[in-house]
Amino acid sequence: MLKRYLRPLSFALVLSLLIWQLTTEAQGVIELDDRLYEIVRLVNIEREKRDIQPLSAENIDLHAAASLRAKEAVESFSHVRPDKSDWITVLEEFDINRSGAAENLGGGKAFSNPARVVKRWMRSTEHKANILNIKYNYIGVGYIEDSSSKFQIYWCLIFANVIPEKTTYDLMHCGE
């Protein structure tokens, strides 16, 4: 019973930290309060329809990486970053320890709200596969509006199998 109340509280804490972090980012990044929650909720509904574990949104670094990738998409709408490195290098910049990851990018008026974003990606074989991949346990969401750019609206979802960092205690007590 207590677990039922702790998960929403921890999500609210992470969400508060994310909003604080995003509002300190460069101009153009929008606060993701309701949009972030709605994307995560809709993605998890799609997963739960198929008896797949829901994704956790409780990794602030993954959200920061997705936010950076959304910002980069304004300059280079591609899975290649503006510096010509692969998109996955953003995870290294944020020290995200993972065994697998995928990125969904979306842009334009067809991606004007979370329901349209998830609906559109569920119609795409590759994007749907990322959303429903049972290997992933975390999601990060990035969003930016730039009215002077080609698509004006940009979304990035990063899915990852995040591996928790081992603590000294964990290493000392292996196998007990």
Side-chain angles (χ1 to χ4, degrees):
M1 173 110 165
L2 183 59
K3 190 176 180 181
R4 190 169 103 191
Y5 296 104
L6 288 178
R7 189 158 180 86
L9 286 175
S10 61
F11 180 76
L13 175 61
V14 169
L15 187 57
S16 298
L17 289 171
L18 177 63
I19 291 168
W20 173 81
Q21 182 176 1
L22 291 177
T23 56
T24 62
E25 294 248 349
Q27 181 182 19
V29 176
I30 307 282
E31 290 182 19
L32 291 181
D33 49 16
D34 291 338
R35 288 181 216 153
L36 168 68
Y37 175 77
E38 187 64 4
I39 286 282
V40 173
R41 188 182 75 79
L42 292 170
V43 163
N44 281 333
I45 285 172
E46 293 298 333
R47 291 172 66 89
E48 289 170 4
K49 284 179 190 175
R50 295 156 180 88
D51 293 324
I52 302 170
Q53 285 287 94
L55 296 168
S56 172
E58 297 179 9
N59 187 310
I60 195 75
D61 292 328
L62 202 55
H63 291 294
S67 294
L68 178 58
R69 287 293 297 132
K71 185 177 176 182
E72 290 177 348
V74 173
E75 183 180 335
S76 173
F77 191 76
S78 167
H79 297 292
V80 176
R81 300 179 72 188
D83 69 1
K84 306 298 182 220
S85 64
D86 192 64
W87 76 268
I88 206 158
T89 60
V90 75
L91 300 180
E92 296 159 11
E93 285 179 33
F94 286 91
D95 295 321
I96 298 169
N97 189 19
R98 84 279 173 209
S99 65
E103 175 184 67
N104 284 4
L105 285 178
K109 293 185 195 256
F111 292 87
S112 60
N113 65 58
R116 292 181 78 178
V117 170
V118 174
K119 186 175 184 178
R120 186 109 171 165
W121 279 332
M122 290 304 290
R123 291 181 179 162
S124 159
T125 305
E126 296 85 7
H127 295 102
K128 180 179 181 177
N130 291 339
I131 290 170
L132 301 178
N133 191 318
I134 62 172
K135 294 187 296 185
Y136 302 137
N137 57 2
Y138 282 85
I139 185 174
V141 182
Y143 175 82
I144 187 168
E145 287 184 24
D146 183 335
S147 60
S148 65
S149 67
K150 180 178 180 179
F151 295 117
Q152 299 181 354
I153 298 170
Y154 301 83
W155 287 92
C156 176
L157 271 60
I158 297 179
F159 306 92
N161 182 25
V162 176
I163 301 169
E165 297 289 328
K166 290 277 187 196
T167 64
T168 305
Y169 178 84
D170 291 335
L171 294 174
M172 290 173 31
H173 293 87
C174 291
E176 286 188 8

